[in-house]
Amino acid sequence: DAKTTQPNSMESNEEEPVHLPCNHSTISGTDYIHWYRQLPSQGPEYVIHGLTSNVNNRMASLAIAEDRKSSTLILHRATLRDAAVYYCILRELNQGGKLIFGQGTELSVKP
Amino acid sequence: NAGVTQTPKFQVLKTGQSMTLQCAQDMNHEYMSWYRQDPGMGLRLIHYSVGAGITDQGEVPNGYNVSRSTTEDFPLRLLSAAPSQTSVYFCASTSWGVGGYTFGSGTRLTVV
């Protein structure tokens, strides 16, 4: 299983952009990069995914390095409700699409 | 559209008891998975299924059984509960393709 590496924790100020990094140097050509977040006492929530090109949706943007060995989740204006654990995961399509979670990055947002 | 429904939300078992955690989805998703999350930890994959009649083991399958007789349901059975199985259990589903998983709200299990 291809692995991801994320910082254990990050801090941000409210209404400022947040860049959450993820390294995945052993990614294979068919692995999609998925991001999920888990708010306190809730189940994980899908945020965004991509393969090679940068992606945007209503929640966030995903910037993928040209060699695909790293990616960055971008929250354009952090709010207090964005405080959560963010997981970067490679979805392995060749193994039934299962998700293997790492430890994630705990994001705290200061008012 | 209820999404992924897990029952019960809370359960206390005695060591050695068996029980089934229920998971149902109404989105016609082919893929379903079970995870456990211990306090302060990330999620670990227990079992997963790519369709009715097909299941496979994840990272921590020991002590758990699954079956997938319908597309909608994916129950998780604890054969003989142990205190080490005290955890929060999440069920998730997604469709063929590359989209994101939808997670249930979890079952908090305590084994005493």
Side-chain angles (χ1 to χ4, degrees):
Chain A
D1 296 332
K3 302 296 185 190
T4 63
T5 304
Q6 300 176 252
N8 289 332
S9 62
M10 291 184 64
E11 282 188 351
S12 173
N13 294 318
E14 196 175 12
E15 299 189 0
E16 290 185 355
V18 181
H19 290 234
L20 297 164
C22 181
N23 288 321
H24 28 78
S25 58
T26 60
I27 190 171
S28 73
T30 55
D31 286 341
Y32 280 73
I33 302 159
H34 278 234
W35 284 82
Y36 289 77
R37 72 179 186 180
Q38 187 174 23
L39 301 172
S41 301
Q42 295 189 24
E45 174 187 27
Y46 165 77
V47 177
I48 200 167
H49 76 274
L51 182 63
T52 57
S53 303
N54 295 344
V55 184
N56 300 297
N57 66 21
R58 63 174 181 83
M59 292 182 69
S61 295
L62 176 60
I64 301 172
E66 193 169 342
D67 63 6
R68 299 212 324 129
K69 292 186 177 182
S70 66
S71 62
T72 302
L73 180 70
I74 303 165
L75 307 180
H76 296 285
R77 288 179 72 244
T79 69
L80 297 178
R81 293 180 66 248
D82 290 323
V85 178
Y86 287 79
Y87 296 98
C88 168
I89 305 168
L90 301 182
R91 179 168 172 180
E92 304 177 70
L93 294 182
N94 293 332
Q95 295 190 34
K98 65 183 180 182
L99 293 178
I100 301 296
F101 282 75
Q103 292 304 306
T105 297
E106 183 170 12
L107 175 67
S108 58
V109 180
K110 296 184 290 185
Chain B
N1 196 342
V4 177
T5 302
Q6 292 186 237
T7 56
K9 294 191 182 303
F10 301 93
Q11 182 71 49
V12 178
L13 288 180
K14 294 182 179 179
T15 298
Q17 287 185 318
S18 63
M19 79 160 293
T20 299
L21 279 63
Q22 301 292 343
C23 176
Q25 52 89 10
D26 60 358
M27 298 171 283
N28 203 31
H29 284 169
E30 292 82 7
Y31 292 142
M32 296 187 75
S33 301
W34 274 103
Y35 293 85
R36 62 175 288 174
Q37 186 172 33
D38 299 333
M41 304 291 288
L43 283 79
R44 291 184 292 172
L45 181 64
I46 305 172
H47 286 285
Y48 64 103
S49 169
V50 300
I54 306 170
T55 64
D56 205 347
Q57 296 181 351
E59 302 170 278
V60 289
N62 292 341
Y64 307 95
N65 273 358
V66 292
S67 60
R68 183 99 179 268
S69 56
T70 68
T71 299
E72 294 77 19
D73 300 300
F74 190 40
L76 178 72
R77 283 182 289 277
L78 279 70
L79 309 174
S80 177
S84 61
Q85 294 179 304
T86 293
S87 190
V88 181
Y89 291 82
F90 291 103
C91 179
S93 73
T94 191
S95 59
W96 285 110
V98 300
Y101 271 83
T102 301
F103 283 78
S105 57
T107 294
R108 187 174 298 275
L109 175 68
T110 302
V111 182
V112 298

